[in-house]
Amino acid sequence: MTDPFLLSMALIVFLSIAGLSVGLAMMCGSFLYLIMKGYDPSIASEQLLQGLYNGYTLLAIPLFILAADIMNIGSLADRLLRFCQALVGRFRGGLGHVNVVSSVIFSGMSGSAVADAVGMGKIIIGLMTRDGKYTASYAAAITAATATIGPIIPPSIPMVLYALVSDQSVGFLFAAGLAPGLLMALVMAVMNYIIARKRGFPTDEAVPMSELPRITMQAFPALMLPVILLGGIYSGIVTPTEAAAVAAAYALTISVILYRSVSFRAFWETLSSGARSAGSIGVLIAGSITFNYVITREDVPNALATWLGSMDLGPTGFLVMVNILILLLGCVLEGGAILLIVVPILIPAVQAMGIDLIHFGVIAVVNSMLGLITPPYGLLLFITANITKQPLGAIVRDIWPFILALLFALGIITFIPDFVLFLPRLLGYQG
């Protein structure tokens, strides 16, 4: 007789390849398993309710999505880009550096790689390709690559998802992502400079230093959002969930009242698109909670931990293997699916190896974000290809140097835990 677990896995893979969302595919596979095992299918609903009962931190996800969408429809993105141009546009490959710096700043507001690529990406790609300064494929490639910073520098939607499956502090995870995010920005800026010199990309028109204070003041309300957000979390004034609500309210307030750049129609469309995005993530979470029950019933995590223990890999060898595994899965799976399906299976082995769960969380999230720019799935590749109307192959050719730079950063993040954990420890983390 066919094994119910293998059959449920096969159904999930088949439905996902056929175009059904991964969340719904996991639900279908889970129901098939329950029926074949003779369990009451209502167990799936029970597991779902229990999984969400204490998951109030998940409320941060739709609120961060809303905050990012509001910033994209207002003039915040334009003001931030002008500030970045004044800051780094004068260097070789200037608009490439603007792309990197703007992603760093925007990542402190949105927590989403897709929001960064769709919002700031559209504007910066237009600037880079104007008058043929940069090739459209290169503009698309660096925009996709820098967007991966969004979920690493806090706030971060993937970090919230990891906190759900690992029972770790969202605040400490946010803190742990700051240094790795800045490292990713640094290696991409260096790579952009090397490519710009090799291919003769121009510097941007230098903004007079006398103009910098005025440009900074115009962008100042937007620049204050990360300060308010993270300051509120680490001072203990607000929880990460409450901080997400503050971010959305602040973005709406300065866009409507201060900048007067958001119409009611645009706001309504933002609410609608935000609800759709949050809904798709909700379906993924629901499917993963249901499928995690199946995985638990089959004792997959303990079996994996025992198997890995028998291989005598040690913590370093284990992390190398995990990096390879998640990078390969990222080529065909969406990052959220990896964090909600694959990572929970690995956590018992991580604990058995004595690896810090906050450190491991950052490794897992960075790996998952790299999957957004690796073919053939690479969601950010498709987004930037759609913006620039460039063939996917041309973008892939230009993005490989940035993937190599990010792999170098991933190596530092993986093998130097103190680099990731020093800031959380300053804030009181005992790990």
Side-chain angles (χ1 to χ4, degrees):
M1 184 177 177
T2 306
D3 182 80
F5 180 68
L6 293 178
L7 199 57
S8 69
M9 288 290 295
L11 180 62
I12 291 170
V13 171
F14 172 76
L15 292 176
S16 299
I17 293 174
L20 193 67
S21 74
V22 176
L24 289 175
M26 284 191 290
M27 289 184 194
C28 293
S30 301
F31 276 113
L32 177 64
Y33 174 87
L34 293 172
I35 292 169
M36 291 186 69
K37 279 286 192 176
Y39 299 137
D40 185 350
S42 65
I43 291 175
S45 301
E46 180 186 348
Q47 292 299 311
L48 178 58
L49 290 173
Q50 288 180 354
L52 295 176
Y53 182 72
N54 292 317
Y56 63 92
T57 54
L58 293 176
L59 288 173
I61 294 175
L63 292 169
F64 280 134
I65 291 172
L66 178 61
D69 287 346
I70 290 171
M71 285 183 282
N72 284 334
I73 61 171
S75 62
L76 276 76
D78 294 309
R79 293 169 188 267
L80 288 174
L81 269 180
R82 182 62 178 159
F83 171 75
C84 295
Q85 274 185 282
L87 213 59
V88 296
R90 65 189 71 242
F91 303 114
R92 170 70 68 177
L95 285 176
H97 296 308
V98 170
N99 203 319
V100 175
V101 175
S102 64
S103 288
V104 169
I105 295 174
F106 197 75
S107 67
M109 306 176 190
S110 71
S112 167
V114 173
D116 189 350
V118 172
M120 298 289 276
K122 285 182 180 178
I123 304 171
I124 190 65
I125 285 174
L127 289 173
M128 292 182 73
T129 55
R130 186 183 301 164
D131 302 325
K133 293 179 182 177
Y134 297 78
T135 62
S137 61
Y138 182 79
I142 191 172
T143 298
T146 59
T148 60
I149 302 172
I152 311 303
I153 293 178
S156 166
I157 292 173
M159 294 285 192
V160 174
L161 295 178
Y162 177 78
L164 172 69
V165 300
S166 65
D167 197 29
Q168 296 299 297
S169 162
V170 175
F172 288 141
L173 282 166
F174 280 5
L178 183 58
L182 294 176
L183 174 64
M184 291 166 67
L186 176 62
V187 298
M188 283 190 282
V190 171
M191 183 57 69
N192 174 67
Y193 179 78
I194 293 170
I195 294 172
R197 286 187 63 87
K198 183 178 178 180
R199 297 174 63 172
F201 289 147
T203 58
D204 197 23
E205 182 180 346
V207 176
M209 293 303 294
S210 59
E211 289 289 300
L212 190 57
R214 180 182 63 82
I215 294 170
T216 303
M217 285 306 298
Q218 288 177 343
F220 184 75
L223 292 170
M224 283 301 294
L225 180 52
V227 177
I228 294 170
L229 195 65
L230 300 180
I233 292 173
Y234 297 122
S235 65
I237 297 174
V238 294
T239 66
T241 303
E242 292 165 344
V246 170
Y250 181 81
L252 181 62
T253 300
I254 61 176
S255 295
V256 173
I257 297 177
L258 186 61
Y259 294 151
R260 298 180 181 179
S261 57
V262 175
S263 66
F264 179 80
R265 179 184 178 87
F267 179 60
W268 177 256
E269 290 175 351
T270 296
L271 289 177
S272 300
S273 65
R276 288 192 295 271
S277 298
S280 65
I281 294 175
V283 170
L284 180 60
I285 293 171
S288 68
I289 291 174
T290 309
F291 187 63
N292 280 341
Y293 173 77
V294 175
I295 290 173
T296 304
R297 292 292 304 184
E298 289 291 309
D299 203 27
V300 173
N302 289 329
L304 180 64
T306 302
W307 177 66
L308 290 171
S310 67
M311 294 177 68
D312 196 27
L313 287 171
T316 301
F318 173 76
L319 288 177
V320 170
M321 188 195 73
V322 168
N323 276 333
I324 295 171
L325 173 65
I326 298 180
L327 285 170
L328 290 175
L329 288 174
C331 294
V332 293
L333 279 179
E334 191 265 339
I338 293 173
L339 291 171
L340 291 169
I341 304 170
V342 180
V343 169
I345 300 174
L346 297 172
I347 285 177
V350 171
Q351 292 172 312
M353 293 277 181
I355 298 168
D356 185 89
L357 282 175
I358 295 289
H359 178 220
F360 180 73
V362 174
I363 293 171
V365 171
V366 172
N367 267 299
S368 300
M369 294 309 102
L370 280 172
L372 294 175
I373 57 172
T374 51
Y377 185 78
L379 179 60
L380 292 176
L381 297 177
F382 291 116
I383 289 173
T384 53
N386 183 59
I387 293 172
T388 58
K389 308 303 179 188
Q390 290 294 299
L392 197 61
I395 298 174
V396 169
R397 282 194 297 273
D398 279 334
I399 206 170
W400 276 115
F402 294 104
I403 292 176
L404 294 175
L406 289 171
L407 288 174
F408 173 76
L410 176 61
I412 294 175
I413 294 165
T414 300
F415 300 122
I416 308 179
D418 288 340
F419 176 73
V420 176
L421 296 174
F422 84 93
L423 186 55
R425 286 169 178 161
L426 285 177
L427 296 171
Y429 178 60
Q430 300 300 314

